[in-house]
Amino acid sequence: MTTALTGIGVTRGLVIGRAHIFHSIQPEVVEYAIPQQYIEDEVARYELALSKAKTQLDTVKDHIPVSAPSEISAFIDTHLLMLEDSALSRVPIDYIREHQCNAEWALKYQRDALVTVFEEMDDSYLRTRRDDVDHVVNRVQRLLSDPEAQGLSNSEISLAGRVVIAEDVTPADTILFKSQGVAGFVSEHGGVNSHTAILARSLGIPAVVGVHRLRRYIYHNETVALDSEHGMVLADCDEALLRHIESRQQIALRQQARLNALKDYSAVTLDGVNIELLANVETEEDIDLMHAVGSDGIGLYRTEMVFMLGNGVPTEETQYQAYRRIVERANGKPVTIRTLDLGADKQVDGVGRGGAIATNPALGLRAIRLCLQDPSLFYPQLRAIFRASVYGKLRIMLPMLTNVEELHQAVQIIGDVKRDLRQANVPFDDDIPIGGMIEVPAAALNADAFAHHLDFLSIGTNDLIQYTLAADRLDEDVNHLYKPAHPAVLKLIDMTIRAGLKAKVPVAMCGEMAGDARYVRLLLGMGLREFSMNPRACLDVRRIVVNSSVSELSALMHSVHRAGTSNEIEELLDRINHDI
Ligand code: PEP
Ligand code: MG
């Protein structure tokens, strides 16, 4: 009998593939005593695990695709060297002999000692080595706990064509899945606007998150169907159901072909209002897509990807090369580069972990807060952006502004960067517009003040919704509270649009709401004229724009403003959207 599980669909897509259970949890290590006569056997067991770990890494190295970033090979070399270092090849063995304990415990002891040393280092790059220690130690621990298993980490198993089943998926895992050609993924945790979900949409990977007890019902290697539009995972499908799914796949392909025909249309409403459709870009590949769907430029380039794809914090030069490539590939279209928004669910080895573990990371040292606190992150990034500015039309956007003082501080650092570049005769564009994201309720409430100091505003609804409604965007348990059409959210959006109009400062929206077909007409009616979205959503949004009349929609907005509940607004949306 078919098993149907439901969760939160984060992308559109219908795929069939064999399940691959993705393990990200490490075995728990306990200490036990080894009788004297077996100590050398225990040492041999440890040495065998080490040598298997080396063999695995050599195999992985031989199979790195040519298209993979060069850092991956360097990363594996580092791990190989660590396995050979006496810190791992000799010290745990001494510990086993001295304390007559199991190899896992000796390795854990040594790992803790190494990590303490790395954590005490001031240099953020050296601090990243702590995570390398963990990766290598975890590999050996896996082999010790299960010597028969391949012991391969997730990055080394071919996932091509597979539907990955996981407890949780990080943004970095999502990138790995793309490079491995997965058919889709399903996870027990996660929210619709987590960065993992956003990345999955941007990379076009069908995904369903928040499926409770998923791993109880799906078995490794069984055939599953994933309907990410409806948030469904089906296992044990009979032939008739599989054929039905295949026919729906064909229909979806035909619909996409019809949408493709809209690529060269201008996004002008029925009553002649020009709407700018921009792209949110995560990777360089997104730029090809942006050109393919005829976007007007890049409304949000998330620079975190440059940090997350590499091994720790990239140098100014690496960043410069990355930003320059983006700007050049945009072919003269405007590129809005958002400064670093690390923190919360976007972590990079060695960044921001100096203090106590945050209880509420989304409310913690994130985005502009982190950059202002750690100029060693912000300054080189700004230099890299300014250096890249001579290759096209660049704009800088600051994330998570809450207080106008933060903006002043950032502007001062930008001034320092420009001064230093000028003194060093490094060419840059002196007139780069500086904009800010409105994604914290305080910023929306104070949008007038921000509009006064900025060249443009961009509403980040992904965060604005979570902060306004106190509903963590990552937490599937409060996903039902995460509502773009909540009257409080709409009031803040409205205030921001009005503030922009008053100050004659353009206002865009770059949160996922801007690319959600359901809200396009509502936002047009509210006065939004710049929509930035995952380029995969662009054609559908254009279809709605060219079939809408702004004057008719504006006339309906008094009902939106009067609504006291999300349900009332949703009903109104059903009516507004009846023909799309
Ligand atoms: C947002 O918060 O809406 C946004 C675009 O930023 P991010 O999703 O990267 O937090
Ligand atoms: Mg945000």
Side-chain angles (χ1 to χ4, degrees):
M1 203 178 66
T2 302
T3 308
L5 304 172
T6 53
I8 306 159
V10 298
T11 358
R12 263 194 214 174
L14 197 54
V15 290
I16 300 172
R18 278 193 308 128
H20 174 91
I21 309 290
F22 184 76
H23 297 285
S24 46
I25 307 286
Q26 292 307 320
E28 201 176 316
V29 174
V30 289
E31 179 182 16
Y32 55 90
I34 303 288
Q36 180 61 46
Q37 68 269 33
Y38 296 123
I39 288 293
E40 289 314 308
D41 292 346
E42 191 64 7
V43 168
R45 191 168 78 86
Y46 180 69
E47 286 175 336
L48 183 64
L50 275 188
S51 105
K52 278 190 177 178
K54 274 186 226 152
T55 312
Q56 282 174 3
L57 286 176
D58 285 332
T59 314
V60 172
K61 227 181 134 191
D62 292 344
H63 287 86
I64 297 174
V66 263
S67 58
S70 57
E71 292 89 344
I72 291 188
S73 178
F75 173 72
I76 292 169
D77 282 336
T78 311
H79 287 197
L80 276 166
L81 284 174
M82 289 174 93
L83 280 172
E84 281 159 17
D85 192 281
S86 64
L88 291 184
S89 66
R90 189 181 48 75
V91 178
I93 293 176
D94 293 346
Y95 193 91
I96 295 171
R97 290 192 175 122
E98 196 181 326
H99 293 84
Q100 304 199 344
C101 68
N102 53 321
E104 290 89 342
W105 189 255
L107 181 57
K108 179 186 173 338
Y109 181 87
Q110 175 63 351
R111 175 258 170 215
D112 292 349
L114 291 171
V115 162
T116 309
V117 175
F118 280 111
E119 276 180 348
E120 278 165 4
M121 293 178 176
D122 282 341
D123 184 299
S124 67
Y125 176 73
L126 284 177
R127 281 206 309 268
T128 67
R129 302 275 69 87
R130 172 219 132 111
D131 298 273
D132 286 323
V133 172
D134 269 340
H135 291 152
V136 174
V137 166
N138 288 341
R139 172 183 299 281
V140 182
Q141 290 288 17
R142 272 197 302 273
L143 285 158
L144 283 168
S145 73
D146 187 3
E148 296 309 316
Q150 288 297 297
L152 293 179
S153 81
N154 293 309
S155 56
E156 301 146 20
I157 304 160
S158 171
L159 300 175
R162 296 292 203 109
V163 174
V164 175
I165 306 292
E167 180 182 1
D168 205 0
V169 172
T170 64
D173 294 334
T174 314
I175 295 167
L176 168 80
F177 291 169
K178 179 67 183 178
S179 69
Q180 291 258 6
V182 301
F185 71 82
V186 192
S187 66
E188 295 193 4
H189 302 303
V192 68
N193 279 338
S194 65
H195 286 105
T196 296
I198 292 173
L199 202 51
R201 271 194 288 279
S202 143
L203 297 172
I205 308 176
V208 178
V209 300
V211 181
H212 290 276
R213 300 176 172 220
L214 167 68
R215 289 164 309 150
R216 265 190 162 196
Y217 297 103
I218 307 277
Y219 304 104
H220 192 62
N221 273 337
E222 76 172 316
T223 298
V224 292
L226 184 73
D227 178 350
S228 53
E229 187 174 358
H230 299 102
M232 296 228 347
V233 191
L234 305 169
D236 224 351
C237 307
D238 59 26
E239 269 308 306
L241 183 56
L242 287 175
R243 271 201 304 278
H244 171 70
I245 293 170
E246 278 158 10
S247 74
R248 280 186 48 207
Q249 284 176 320
Q250 292 307 318
I251 293 171
L253 281 176
R254 284 199 290 276
Q255 276 171 347
Q256 188 56 45
R258 276 199 295 276
L259 274 182
N260 289 345
L262 284 174
K263 151 178 155 11
D264 299 318
Y265 276 47
S266 303
V268 180
T269 62
L270 293 171
D271 50 348
V273 179
N274 238 314
I275 304 299
E276 209 159 319
L277 300 185
L278 300 153
N280 290 355
V281 165
E282 317 275 339
T283 60
E284 283 182 49
E285 290 69 42
D286 284 342
I287 301 193
D288 298 334
L289 201 58
M290 163 190 120
H291 289 304
V293 298
S295 294
D296 297 310
I298 298 176
L300 165 64
Y301 170 56
R302 288 184 166 97
T303 52
E304 302 81 73
M305 289 307 143
V306 181
F307 286 64
M308 290 162 79
L309 284 171
N311 187 15
V313 179
T315 60
E316 176 188 319
E317 188 59 26
T318 306
Q319 291 188 62
Y320 159 68
Q321 296 295 348
Y323 306 152
R324 177 179 163 173
R325 274 198 305 276
I326 297 283
V327 176
E328 284 179 337
R329 288 181 67 169
N331 280 346
K333 290 184 176 178
V335 176
T336 312
I337 297 198
R338 181 177 72 180
T339 60
L340 194 59
D341 180 7
L342 286 181
D345 61 334
K346 283 180 290 189
Q347 298 289 345
V348 165
D349 295 349
V351 175
R353 293 200 190 137
I357 304 288
T359 316
N360 294 305
L363 303 181
L365 198 59
R366 209 194 130 176
I368 193 73
R369 302 171 177 188
L370 177 66
C371 288
L372 293 177
Q373 205 212 39
D374 186 353
S376 74
L377 280 174
F378 201 31
Y379 184 85
Q381 176 171 51
L382 289 169
R383 273 183 67 97
I385 295 174
F386 273 98
R387 284 173 59 199
S389 67
V390 287
Y391 297 96
K393 222 167 146 189
L394 233 157
R395 315 196 304 169
I396 290 179
M397 181 158 78
L398 306 168
M400 214 191 165
L401 291 168
T402 309
N403 308 303
V404 177
E405 289 82 353
E406 290 164 339
L407 172 58
H408 292 327
Q409 266 179 279
V411 167
Q412 193 172 348
I413 299 174
I414 290 172
D416 293 346
V417 168
K418 286 190 186 185
R419 182 203 58 215
D420 294 349
L421 289 173
R422 217 173 277 121
Q423 275 171 5
N425 284 327
V426 178
F428 66 91
D429 175 0
D430 208 1
D431 289 321
I432 297 183
I434 310 290
M437 288 193 67
I438 302 296
E439 51 183 345
V440 174
L445 290 163
N446 203 15
D448 280 324
F450 282 103
H452 184 69
H453 294 288
L454 287 163
D455 298 316
F456 64 95
L457 304 178
S458 187
I459 308 173
T461 46
N462 305 337
D463 281 312
L464 188 63
I465 297 167
Q466 81 161 343
Y467 294 134
T468 306
L469 305 180
D472 190 332
R473 63 197 266 194
L474 303 180
D475 187 344
E476 67 278 8
D477 290 337
V478 289
N479 187 63
H480 62 290
L481 299 174
Y482 187 96
K483 291 187 168 141
H486 190 291
V489 173
L490 298 187
K491 282 193 175 92
L492 294 174
I493 293 175
D494 186 59
M495 288 180 86
T496 310
I497 296 174
R498 305 280 129 235
L501 278 174
K502 203 166 114 199
K504 298 197 173 48
V505 164
V507 177
M509 178 180 286
C510 60
E512 295 296 289
M513 189 175 178
D516 188 329
R518 184 159 178 79
Y519 304 114
V520 172
R521 283 185 166 169
L522 172 70
L523 296 169
L524 285 172
M526 289 175 75
L528 190 75
R529 299 293 177 260
E530 290 184 27
F531 292 64
S532 188
M533 69 205 76
N534 155 21
R536 286 172 208 275
C538 183
L539 293 173
D540 207 24
V541 170
R542 182 172 295 142
R543 175 182 66 85
I544 297 168
V545 167
V546 299
N547 285 300
S548 302
S549 154
V550 160
S551 50
E552 274 174 30
L553 291 168
S554 316
L556 296 173
M557 287 306 117
H558 62 275
S559 315
V560 170
H561 296 311
R562 273 208 312 264
T565 68
S566 318
N567 285 352
E568 284 170 53
I569 294 170
E570 289 296 345
E571 278 168 24
L572 204 74
L573 287 181
D574 286 342
R575 291 208 296 280
I576 294 180
N577 291 330
H578 72 278
D579 61 331
I580 57 171

